[in-house]
Amino acid sequence: MTERPQRPQVPLTGGEREILTGLLDYHRATVAWKAGGLTEDQARRAHLPSELTTVAGLVAHLTLNEGFWFGVVAGGEEDTWEEVLEQDPDAEFRVPADTKLETLLADYEKQCAHSREITAAHGLDDEVTHKGETFNVRWVLTHMIEETARHVGHLDVLRELTDGLTGE
């Protein structure tokens, strides 16, 4: 993939919710752009000393984080990863060889859509408690902007090292 995709325009004015969700959706679309169009081998290529830092691993990690912060923390859903991560804190980065990048991206988009639904059902000041810590939905949303943007930077570097694709 060499063309820049149509990503959501982040509002420059408007309410806090519109700006925050716009920023997150922009970064989510950038994840799909940076990861899209790669071969399975390219998606699993480790360009850095860590075997965990691959395009496939980062997409899986971001999917897990969307599910945790929006689904588990803000939505009160069951944490299906807790036991797995107790055994291996990096388990989500270890993508099985038979899991296609196309599937990872579809799962990411599906989880993002679910996260949008959860966010829309809450006010930004709504408080949620998980394991004795209380967060408001604004904090969860802001944290996921930071988390996604950080990993978009990693994906940007990996993609350039893989096939030379650059761009914000």
Side-chain angles (χ1 to χ4, degrees):
M1 173 182 291
T2 57
E3 292 183 29
R4 290 183 188 203
Q6 291 296 322
R7 292 176 284 178
Q9 193 71 22
V10 179
L12 302 177
T13 62
E16 182 179 17
R17 176 181 293 273
E18 293 78 21
I19 291 171
L20 292 175
T21 58
L23 281 167
L24 183 53
D25 280 340
Y26 179 85
H27 291 305
R28 288 168 170 158
T30 305
V31 168
W33 172 38
K34 293 297 178 171
L38 295 174
T39 67
E40 298 303 321
D41 177 61
Q42 289 172 322
R44 286 167 174 72
R45 191 172 297 156
H47 292 283
L48 304 174
S50 170
E51 66 180 20
L52 301 175
T53 309
T54 66
V55 170
L58 288 169
V59 173
H61 172 72
L62 285 167
T63 302
L64 172 78
N65 272 275
E66 286 274 345
F68 177 76
W69 285 104
F70 290 109
V72 175
V73 175
E77 297 171 2
E78 179 185 356
D79 187 350
T80 59
W81 276 86
E82 185 173 22
E83 289 182 26
V84 174
L85 293 173
E86 284 176 7
Q87 298 298 313
D88 178 2
D90 298 317
E92 79 276 17
F93 287 100
R94 301 182 205 287
V95 178
D98 62 345
T99 303
K100 302 252 184 246
L101 178 60
E102 181 180 328
T103 301
L104 292 170
L105 287 167
D107 290 348
Y108 178 64
E109 178 50 43
K110 182 179 177 183
Q111 185 60 61
C112 290
H114 185 57
S115 297
R116 286 183 198 98
E117 291 171 0
I118 292 168
T119 302
H122 286 82
L124 295 179
D125 291 323
D126 288 358
E127 292 186 352
V128 293
T129 301
H130 179 73
K131 292 191 173 188
E133 290 188 286
T134 300
F135 307 86
N136 66 23
V137 172
R138 176 184 295 100
W139 187 93
V140 172
L141 191 55
T142 304
H143 172 66
M144 282 307 298
I145 292 168
E146 177 272 330
E147 178 78 11
T148 307
R150 179 164 32 98
H151 292 307
V152 162
H154 297 137
L155 288 167
D156 191 41
V157 169
L158 292 175
R159 187 62 189 254
E160 185 173 356
L161 291 170
T162 298
D163 67 358
L165 178 73
T166 60
E168 65 176 61

